[in-house]
Amino acid sequence: MVKFSKELEAQLIPEWKDAFVNYWQLKKHVKKIKLARKPKHVPDTNYDFGISIFDPICRVVNKIASRIHSGGEKEKPEIIQVKRKFREGNDGEEEEEIYETELDQLFSEEDEVKVFFETLDDELNKVNQFYQTKETEFVERGEILNKQLQILLDLKRVLSDRRQKNLAAKTSSSFFSPTNSSCGRSSYFSESQSEYCDSPKDTQTDDDVVAALEKNGINFINSATTTRAKTKKGKPKVALRIDIPATTPSRTIAAVTSMLWEDLVNNSKKELGTADIINRKKIQCAEKMIRGAFVELYRGLGLLKTYSSLNMVAFTKILKKFDKVSNQQASVSYLKVVKKSHFVSSDKVLRLMDEVESLFAQHFANNDRKKAMKFLRPHHHKDSHMLTFFVGLFTGCFITLFSVYVILAHLSGMFSPGIEATYMETVYPIFSMFALLSLHMFMYGCNLFVWKSTRINCNFIFEFQSSTALNYRDAFLICTSLMTAVVGAMVIHLILLSEGFSPLQVNTIPGILLLCFISLLVCPLNILYRPTRYYFIRVIRNIVCSPFYKVLMVDFFMADQLTSQIPLLRHIESAACYFLAGSFKTHNYETCKSGKLYMELAYVISFAPYYWRAMQCARRWFDESNIDHLANLGKYVSAMVAAGARITYARQQSELWMAIVLVTSLVATVYQLYWDFVKDWGLLNPKSKNPWLRDDLILKNKSIYYVSIALNFVLRVAWLETVLRFNAGMFERRLFEFFLASLEVIRRGHWNYYRLENEHLNNVGKFRAVNTVPLPFSDG
């Protein structure tokens, strides 16, 4: 049977861990009470004088006395009394409800019991106040969402009515001259001001709708509350703004253009306000935002419900332990108070959950409650032991095939000086690319395993869907199966070459493998992790199109991974050149080594990941106005300069370029190390209670953090190899380059854990367990 302490640790909400009852501390107090009450060893002074004829009479007298004693206990008052009091809140305005326990004389002289109940009162007050705070927050959020939903429904009704009127107007306009009819050509809302072209009765109806929308918080220019402005034809002017986040390139360009237009051209008209085009597309975007906000609200309510039930069980368990140790029935009195406290007795959360379910089913699921619950309560990804079996199977296959490959390569003399160059130019770019990709996937699987073990909620941080998010077994399965396929292709390629097949045919195997991988990545069939594959493609699109897409945590996290995979991108360049230039036919490799276009593309590819990441920093600064993002942008610019200097030095080895490489790489490395340790990991705090670390640490062994700092420092200075330039053959040099690229991937995987640990601790410090979804309509 699993102990409750472990069950509580597994089920509690990680971001709210500090707000839960400290069951472990209370358990320690109970143990101290047990030790304090344990009788000291007293020498046995009872002597056996044999059996007496009065023994049966003594037993009867003792039974009668015990019954009288037990009957008298029932009439005694309760041994503890929990009183409810009120004190001023932190803001000095509202009073807070607190509980204090007064002990009977039986316990008043025991210090450990006093400390236990004082701690218990503190924990009850903490849980109660946190629950009230979150309940108020979610209730207010629910009221705002109801308001937003009502505005949305009104707007949809208005647009539907206007569309029907426009169709009717177009139908009737065929009987009249076009020059005499201006009605039906304008929509209800236009870019600047819209004109009413209906009868006085229709105008009155529209005015009522406008007034209703104003009550719901929509700002209209010159609304009915004042004197409404008129157009040249005497019609009222109306304007409305919907705040749709600039998450796509088109919205970003439109937002920037609108801002520049207002600043440069339309300053004189600012006091009149501006209006947005209210069309079906914007209404759909607003509907999607409100739907997402309802899903997050429901998720938060579910977490609060779990918080209440787990804390109730924790109080029950610890009080029963106290009763067992003290041989008293104190739990009955205290649990009565706990059950009457707000976090147990309040039903606001349950009622609000029912209301959200009803509204969601009605307005977002066509009254299909089952469909609505799929959105509100998505199924969690269940671990399968079959995945473990296949991971082991593919791992064994990979080891076996790799051993076969090494033996065959040695026997066939593929790495002899005569054959080495041709074979390395053909095989190395493709297979090393897949090897680096598999290694990165393996490190990500290790990250997922450690994050799960340390209760870091990576799915919440990355905003992944729990039903489709990968777990560590999935990552290991993808890694091992991919490497098994790659090494199998290498063995087949080697066997065919050894058997004397035409190199023209055999050398197409790496290209076929690459095409199969790309086809699998974009395969539309719902097989082999399609949601994950398509999500990966969307993230890569967001990165490449920076800064036009809104930057999320997963976007810049993935962009950071790409900065560690520049060798992989260079291998893609080599493979593309090898096949597109026809080198696999002619075996002329100079085009892909010293060609002008190829050499210029080397700079572009080396700069691209840093450029994308810098543009993401610029976009985040534009959205958040945080100067730290500009400082982070400078880090990636310095990395671009250092990368360009190293590429140039590799082609023009001179003392001047060596000096430039040393200076630029040193500056970039110091910049990167500072940002790694201080900003990304939150370490090197001289005032921390943990010397040069941070106050909150998830890993219990502090030495791991110091070792990680040293390891990250060593792996960050691997660029020194560019300056030292070891003299070796092609095979040894290529192998050494692959080794350095692998070290960078390992460093990135090592960096990933501490980056997310720091992000998780920031969420814990702010009790942030639910995402805040932006809403389309601002309050009036």
Side-chain angles (χ1 to χ4, degrees):
M1 186 176 179
V2 181
K3 289 185 176 181
F4 176 73
S5 57
K6 292 184 178 179
E7 187 178 344
L8 178 63
E9 180 73 24
Q11 293 184 11
L12 60 78
I13 299 143
E15 291 79 10
W16 293 352
K17 184 176 181 180
D18 293 341
F20 274 81
V21 57
N22 196 335
Y23 180 81
W24 299 270
Q25 184 182 4
L26 292 171
K27 196 174 176 182
K28 288 180 181 178
H29 286 304
V30 171
K31 288 183 178 179
K32 289 180 181 178
I33 294 171
K34 183 178 180 180
L35 293 174
R37 290 194 163 212
K38 189 175 181 180
K40 297 180 180 179
H41 180 70
V42 181
D44 189 9
T45 56
N46 295 327
Y47 300 97
D48 189 6
F49 294 102
I51 300 173
S52 172
I53 58 174
F54 297 104
D55 284 349
I57 300 173
C58 291
R59 292 192 192 100
V60 173
V61 171
N62 289 334
K63 286 182 180 180
I64 294 172
S66 63
R67 287 179 182 177
I68 295 172
H69 182 69
S70 62
E73 276 185 348
K74 294 180 182 178
E75 299 176 359
K76 286 184 179 181
E78 295 178 346
I79 57 177
I80 63 169
Q81 291 184 355
V82 185
K83 295 186 176 180
R84 188 174 65 172
K85 299 181 180 180
F86 293 92
R87 67 182 179 190
E88 287 190 359
N90 295 329
D91 54 3
E93 295 179 0
E94 297 182 359
E95 290 186 338
E96 293 180 351
E97 183 185 47
I98 62 171
Y99 295 93
E100 289 185 3
T101 303
E102 294 182 358
L103 302 178
D104 188 67
Q105 190 175 0
L106 177 66
F107 289 146
S108 60
E109 296 179 357
E110 297 187 38
D111 293 336
E112 293 298 335
V113 175
K114 285 182 180 179
V115 173
F116 171 77
F117 277 102
E118 286 175 0
T119 308
L120 193 65
D121 291 340
D122 292 339
E123 294 299 315
L124 178 58
N125 294 329
K126 178 185 73 174
V127 169
N128 215 31
Q129 290 162 14
F130 179 81
Y131 185 89
Q132 286 179 323
T133 302
K134 286 296 176 183
E135 183 187 65
T136 303
E137 176 188 332
F138 289 134
V139 168
E140 290 176 355
R141 190 182 292 193
E143 292 174 354
I144 294 171
L145 277 178
N146 273 333
K147 194 175 181 181
Q148 296 275 321
L149 181 60
Q150 188 58 48
I151 297 171
L152 177 68
L153 295 176
D154 288 340
L155 282 175
K156 290 174 74 174
R157 180 168 62 86
V158 168
L159 287 179
S160 177
D161 292 344
R162 300 305 292 175
R163 193 160 51 248
Q164 292 177 4
K165 291 176 183 179
N166 288 340
L167 289 174
K170 287 179 180 178
T171 304
S172 61
S173 65
S174 61
F175 297 98
F176 301 97
S177 172
T179 58
N180 296 328
S181 176
S182 61
C183 297
R185 290 199 300 269
S186 62
S187 63
Y188 185 76
F189 301 106
S190 63
E191 185 174 359
S192 57
Q193 286 87 18
S194 62
E195 298 184 0
Y196 292 84
C197 299
D198 300 302
S199 64
K201 184 177 179 180
D202 293 333
T203 303
Q204 182 62 38
T205 304
D206 292 334
D207 289 343
D208 293 339
V209 173
V210 170
L213 289 172
E214 284 175 339
K215 290 179 181 179
N216 282 321
I218 292 295
N219 286 326
F220 289 93
I221 295 176
N222 301 318
S223 62
T225 56
T226 61
T227 303
R228 186 168 290 170
K230 305 290 183 180
T231 63
K232 293 180 179 180
K233 295 183 181 182
K235 303 298 181 180
K237 296 180 180 179
V238 188
L240 166 65
R241 180 177 294 279
I242 299 182
D243 299 324
I244 304 296
T247 54
T248 61
S250 59
R251 294 179 193 167
T252 302
I253 295 171
V256 174
T257 304
S258 176
M259 182 183 66
L260 293 175
W261 178 260
E262 289 180 3
D263 289 342
L264 300 177
V265 179
N266 211 25
N267 284 331
S268 61
K269 297 182 181 180
K270 274 188 176 180
E271 58 186 20
L272 294 177
T274 56
D276 290 340
I277 300 174
I278 308 304
N279 52 28
R280 187 184 299 179
K281 187 174 181 180
K282 283 201 172 184
I283 293 299
Q284 289 175 348
C285 292
E287 183 175 0
K288 185 177 181 181
M289 293 168 67
I290 294 174
R291 183 182 64 190
F294 269 110
V295 172
E296 283 300 315
L297 173 62
Y298 190 84
R299 179 174 170 272
L301 293 170
L303 293 178
L304 198 56
K305 181 182 175 183
T306 302
Y307 175 83
S308 173
S309 59
L310 285 178
N311 279 298
M312 182 63 208
V313 175
F315 278 114
T316 304
K317 293 284 186 181
I318 201 65
L319 285 167
K320 286 184 177 179
K321 285 182 178 292
F322 175 80
D323 286 351
K324 187 176 180 181
V325 169
S326 62
N327 294 322
Q328 300 294 333
Q329 296 297 321
S331 63
V332 177
S333 302
Y334 206 97
L335 283 176
K336 287 181 181 178
V337 177
V338 174
K339 290 177 181 178
K340 291 179 181 178
S341 63
H342 188 82
F343 83 94
V344 177
S345 61
S346 176
D347 64 342
K348 288 183 180 180
V349 169
L350 294 177
R351 286 192 284 110
L352 189 53
M353 288 181 75
D354 291 338
E355 185 179 351
V356 170
E357 290 175 5
S358 177
L359 287 173
F360 198 92
Q362 181 181 357
H363 299 293
F364 302 107
N366 295 325
N367 289 318
D368 187 346
R369 190 175 182 83
K370 188 176 181 181
K371 180 181 177 182
M373 297 313 294
K374 286 183 179 180
F375 283 96
L376 296 174
R377 293 181 186 172
H379 296 291
H380 292 278
H381 189 71
K382 294 182 180 180
D383 292 339
S384 173
H385 293 290
M386 288 298 294
L387 289 178
T388 306
F389 167 75
F390 282 111
V391 169
L393 176 64
F394 283 121
T395 302
C397 293
F398 164 69
I399 294 173
T400 303
L401 288 172
F402 187 75
S403 302
V404 170
Y405 172 77
V406 172
I407 295 172
L408 288 176
H410 178 72
L411 294 177
S412 60
M414 281 297 166
F415 299 118
S416 59
I419 309 174
E420 178 183 12
T422 303
Y423 185 72
M424 291 303 294
E425 293 292 346
T426 305
V427 172
Y428 176 76
I430 298 290
F431 293 139
S432 61
M433 177 181 68
F434 282 109
L436 290 174
L437 185 62
S438 299
L439 178 61
H440 212 136
M441 201 67 194
F442 174 77
M443 294 303 300
Y444 180 63
C446 294
N447 290 148
L448 290 174
F449 176 77
V450 179
W451 288 333
K452 182 180 179 181
S453 302
T454 53
R455 300 281 293 158
I456 293 176
N457 194 353
C458 61
N459 287 343
F460 170 69
I461 294 173
F462 290 136
E463 300 182 32
F464 288 160
Q465 295 292 332
S466 57
S467 57
T468 58
L470 295 181
N471 59 29
Y472 68 92
R473 290 189 179 93
D474 295 315
F476 288 147
L477 178 63
I478 295 171
C479 163
T480 53
S481 58
L482 179 61
M483 277 312 299
T484 300
V486 170
V487 177
M490 291 173 67
V491 170
I492 294 172
H493 180 268
L494 194 58
I495 290 174
L496 294 178
L497 280 180
S498 302
E499 292 295 325
F501 281 83
S502 170
L504 178 62
Q505 298 174 346
V506 176
N507 289 343
T508 58
I509 291 178
I512 294 172
L513 181 66
L514 183 60
L515 286 176
C516 291
F517 174 77
I518 295 173
S519 301
L520 180 62
L521 184 63
V522 299
C523 177
L525 300 178
N526 192 13
I527 56 173
L528 300 174
Y529 305 104
R530 186 184 69 173
T532 302
R533 289 188 282 111
Y534 279 26
Y535 190 84
F536 172 77
I537 293 172
R538 286 196 298 271
V539 170
I540 295 298
R541 177 205 63 188
N542 295 352
I543 294 171
V544 173
C545 296
S546 299
F548 298 109
Y549 282 95
K550 183 177 176 62
V551 183
L552 303 177
M553 174 74 185
V554 66
D555 295 328
F556 66 78
F557 189 84
M558 179 60 73
D560 279 327
Q561 311 305 305
L562 291 180
T563 60
S564 295
Q565 284 287 16
I566 292 176
L568 183 146
L569 299 178
R570 294 291 305 277
H571 293 326
I572 294 176
E573 179 196 14
S574 299
C577 180
Y578 175 74
F579 289 104
L580 295 178
S583 298
F584 70 101
K585 295 179 180 179
T586 61
H587 299 286
N588 181 16
Y589 304 112
E590 293 302 318
T591 305
C592 298
K593 294 175 75 174
S594 58
K596 184 179 179 181
L597 179 61
Y598 179 84
M599 295 175 70
E600 290 175 352
L601 281 176
Y603 286 98
V604 174
I605 290 173
S606 299
F607 290 166
Y610 299 118
Y611 169 78
W612 294 330
R613 192 66 186 87
M615 289 299 99
Q616 287 181 334
C617 293
R619 174 60 189 263
R620 294 188 72 193
W621 171 77
F622 180 80
D623 290 339
E624 303 171 18
S625 301
N626 188 345
I627 199 68
D628 283 348
H629 296 313
L630 288 182
N632 199 13
L633 185 150
K635 180 186 74 172
Y636 294 105
V637 171
S638 68
M640 289 172 63
V641 174
R646 286 197 290 268
I647 294 175
T648 305
Y649 174 70
R651 296 168 182 173
Q652 304 176 22
Q653 295 188 9
S654 63
E655 294 183 358
L656 175 61
W657 277 109
M658 177 183 282
I660 293 174
V661 167
L662 287 173
V663 172
T664 56
S665 297
L666 183 62
V667 170
T669 303
V670 172
Y671 209 154
Q672 290 165 347
L673 287 172
Y674 168 79
W675 208 268
D676 284 347
F677 298 143
V678 178
K679 297 294 184 179
D680 290 335
W681 293 4
L683 303 177
L684 298 186
N685 183 2
K687 298 180 181 179
S688 172
K689 63 182 180 182
N690 303 306
W692 293 101
L693 299 178
R694 61 171 114 85
D695 291 338
D696 297 322
L697 301 174
I698 291 182
L699 301 179
K700 296 180 180 179
N701 192 348
K702 298 179 186 178
S703 60
I704 295 177
Y705 292 91
Y706 296 112
V707 172
S708 297
I709 291 173
L711 181 62
N712 191 68
F713 174 81
V714 171
L715 295 179
R716 274 290 191 187
V717 297
W719 54 267
L720 285 172
E721 181 273 338
T722 308
V723 180
L724 297 177
R725 279 291 169 187
F726 300 108
N727 292 322
M730 175 177 285
F731 174 71
E732 289 79 7
R733 189 173 68 254
R734 294 280 187 149
L735 189 63
F736 189 68
E737 290 174 357
F738 177 77
F739 175 71
L740 290 178
S742 301
L743 286 181
E744 174 57 22
V745 173
I746 293 171
R747 187 201 67 80
R748 181 58 64 181
H750 168 257
W751 176 91
N752 288 345
Y753 170 77
Y754 296 101
R755 177 66 184 88
L756 239 66
E757 181 195 49
N758 190 36
E759 188 71 21
H760 173 75
L761 291 175
N762 289 335
N763 290 338
V764 170
K766 298 176 183 177
F767 298 106
R768 187 169 54 210
V770 181
N771 289 316
T772 303
V773 179
L775 298 175
F777 309 115
S778 57
D779 290 338

